[in-house]
């Protein structure tokens, strides 16, 4: 990579954690900074590769350590050819931009992923995941990955849900944040209205629901275009939210387990819908 | 709790990390120690409650800090009535028995959970989860929880899979280790033979399989009694293991995600089987 860095900054020393551009990027490790800039940080080779291939926004610059540059020559060439500014940074500077225990030495500054609700729900969506009040970023990212795998049309971060750009959420999504349209809104009523407008049935995934999805599937009730609404792992969905939706279904517990964790429950719900929708067509 | 401790050791000081019984229990934080003793440690109120209710083995003793005793008076009364030795320990001693960042101050010494393969597979099992070469304890515990939720008849830790008594595995199982029969064997051939003997079809959950489970479900192929075999998250199942099984199925990826993580994939597989088996009957 040093050749790329040199091409842009011929005789410069690596950026340190005090270099203004690194300081500016470090603001993106906090939600407030990300919201203000409309940008976020993406770390590691796989995630940066996904960001570079993403059609929904731009990568604005790359920071890379000497060691990471040697490991990722091809990736940096791709970025360089796309005209993306690449800067060599010290290990300490890279660590200051990282939220992981073992910094990867490769960080991209990238446009925020959410798009307007109407845009994320355009066309005739058949399967959507709505996260409501999900505070754990790992869970939110894993559900995004599952939604992508199930071919969902969108993932919506609603109400007081974690920022999709949170470093742990980005990592847990393993690139899916760049694959599936993402929207967010603090106003859950607006989200539910937009889903209905798009022809989606709003189904609460609720461990306390009377009906379960295996029975619902047997009755042919899962073939409709559906927005599954998932609550926090600790508290589930509040009653007043469940009351606003069209129906509630639980994942049946056939053994003695009290519940599933959020990501595994979401996997069962989303694949139950996709299975019935696909076997119909 | 101090009343219980007093009942057994009227004027004793709390055990420290150097008290022989605590030292002996600390050997159980390592696999070698657990294998030798045939016992393991269970930490926290929920897990200890499950251990006390367990029919498959015994709780031999409880260690508790003053603070944890105050929070868990009822639980300690239950244990005391069951004749279980309860000893007050210092915070430091409790921490020395804990594998968590925030020790819970309540630890039980409990019989190992695995039973012989033949016993775990007795009767006419319809759904079994086999873990082969799963090294991450959190994944193994979460799959055990999912298998319990899906009403699986047994979970088998096969080959070079993590010890089910690993602290992280116990925590991730959220009690399911005590609900569903557990067996383990390093000899995978023995596990596969026992599953066949019990009338189970051996299905590899393999991301590289030609066929997917949604198609298999549509063709009615998931109604048979099935042992799903899951490999490690990093490497999946080795080809020579897949070759020994009856068939392979993948969870279909409808979007751009490359894969699901092990626990979410297992949730989709196990619930696909249980759904088809239950809608049949």
């Amino acid at each position: 990579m040093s050749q790329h860095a040199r091409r842009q900054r011929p005789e410069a020393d690596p950026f340190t954690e005090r270099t203004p551009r690194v300081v500016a990027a470090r603001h993106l490790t906090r939600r407030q900074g990300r919201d203000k800039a409309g940008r976020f940080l993406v770390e590691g080779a796989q995630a940066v590769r996904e960001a570079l291939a993403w059609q929904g926004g731009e990568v604005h610059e790359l920071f890379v350590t000497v060691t990471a540059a040697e490991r990722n020559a091809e990736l940096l060439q791709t970025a360089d050819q796309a005209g993306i500014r690449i800067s060599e940074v010290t290990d300490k500077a890279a660590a200051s931009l990282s939220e992981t225990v073992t910094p990867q030495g490769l960080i991209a500054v990238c446009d925020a992923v959410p798009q307007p609700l109407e845009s994320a729900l355009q066309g005739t969506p058949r399967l959507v995941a709505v996260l409501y009040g999900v505070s754990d970023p790992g869970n939110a990212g894993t559900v995004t990955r599952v939604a992508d795998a199930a071919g969902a049309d969108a993932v919506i971060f609603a109400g007081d849900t974690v920022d999709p750009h949170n470093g742990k959420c980005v990592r847990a999504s393993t690139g899916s944040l760049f694959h599936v349209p993402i929207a967010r809104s603090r106003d859950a009523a607006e989200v539910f209205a937009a889903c209905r407008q798009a022809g989606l049935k709003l189904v609460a995934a609720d461990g306390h629901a009377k009906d379960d999805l295996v029975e619902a599937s047997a009755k042919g009730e899962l073939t409709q275009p559906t927005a599954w609404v998932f609550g926090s792992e600790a508290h589930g969905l509040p009653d007043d939210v469940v009351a606003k939706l069209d129906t509630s279904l639980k994942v049946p517990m056939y053994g003695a387990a009290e519940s599933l964790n959020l990501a595994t429950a979401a996997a069962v719900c989303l694949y139950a819908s996709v299975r019935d929708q696909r076997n119909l067509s």
Side-chain angles (χ1 to χ4, degrees), chain A:
Chain A
M1 168 265 142
S2 42
Q3 76 184 83
H4 301 284
R6 268 186 225 114
R7 197 175 301 162
Q8 304 201 8
R9 307 172 38 245
E11 61 282 316
D13 288 330
F15 285 174
T16 73
E17 68 281 10
R18 289 178 305 277
T19 306
R21 290 234 308 283
V22 174
V23 172
R26 196 155 56 239
H27 290 146
L28 305 179
T29 59
R30 289 161 172 261
R31 182 169 187 160
Q32 208 182 351
R34 293 191 290 266
D35 285 349
K36 198 171 158 193
R39 296 182 178 183
F40 74 117
L41 299 178
V42 170
E43 184 177 9
Q46 204 216 328
V48 169
R49 197 171 293 119
E50 302 270 5
L52 289 170
W54 182 41
Q55 303 295 316
E58 274 181 41
V59 172
H60 295 277
E61 69 177 314
L62 275 178
F63 298 109
V64 65
T65 61
V66 174
T67 319
E70 281 164 8
R71 277 200 308 265
N72 298 287
E74 213 174 310
L75 186 61
L76 292 171
Q77 205 177 346
T78 306
D80 189 47
Q81 283 164 358
I84 294 162
R85 180 156 60 174
I86 303 171
S87 307
E88 193 179 311
V89 294
T90 61
D91 288 351
K92 203 169 162 190
S96 81
L97 297 175
S98 173
E99 292 180 69
T100 57
V101 183
T102 48
Q104 316 249 318
L106 177 64
I107 299 114
V109 176
C110 186
D111 278 334
V113 293
Q115 43 188 281
L117 269 174
E118 298 65 37
S119 147
L121 294 170
Q122 70 186 349
T124 49
R126 296 177 70 184
L127 186 61
V128 167
V130 178
L131 301 173
Y132 180 88
V134 175
S135 55
D136 182 87
N139 282 337
T142 306
V143 174
T144 302
R145 178 179 178 184
V146 171
D148 178 17
D153 298 286
V155 177
I156 304 176
F157 288 63
D160 197 18
T161 285
V162 69
D163 180 9
H165 307 109
N166 175 297
K168 277 187 191 162
C169 180
V170 175
R171 271 201 306 291
S173 90
T174 61
S176 291
L177 269 185
F178 296 112
H179 302 156
V180 61
I182 306 288
R184 65 170 163 180
S185 168
R186 288 209 176 267
D187 181 354
E190 179 195 31
V191 171
F192 300 153
C195 287
R196 284 212 175 86
Q197 183 68 30
L200 294 158
K201 181 174 173 179
L202 287 159
V203 182
D206 177 5
H208 302 293
K210 201 164 46 63
D211 299 319
D212 77 55
L213 56 74
V214 170
E215 294 161 0
S217 168
K219 289 186 211 154
E221 293 173 0
L222 297 186
T223 57
Q224 276 183 266
T226 298
W228 280 98
V229 184
F230 302 106
S232 82
E233 188 153 337
H235 309 294
L237 287 169
D239 290 343
D240 64 322
V241 168
V242 171
K244 285 181 192 137
L245 307 181
D246 298 318
T247 187
S248 300
L249 292 173
K250 66 184 171 196
V251 176
M253 296 291 120
Y254 296 116
E258 274 181 34
S259 65
L260 289 178
N261 71 30
L262 177 57
T264 52
V268 174
C269 293
L270 293 168
Y271 270 89
S273 283
V274 84
R275 175 202 178 284
D276 287 3
Q277 291 179 355
R278 296 207 170 224
N279 282 339
L280 182 79
S281 53

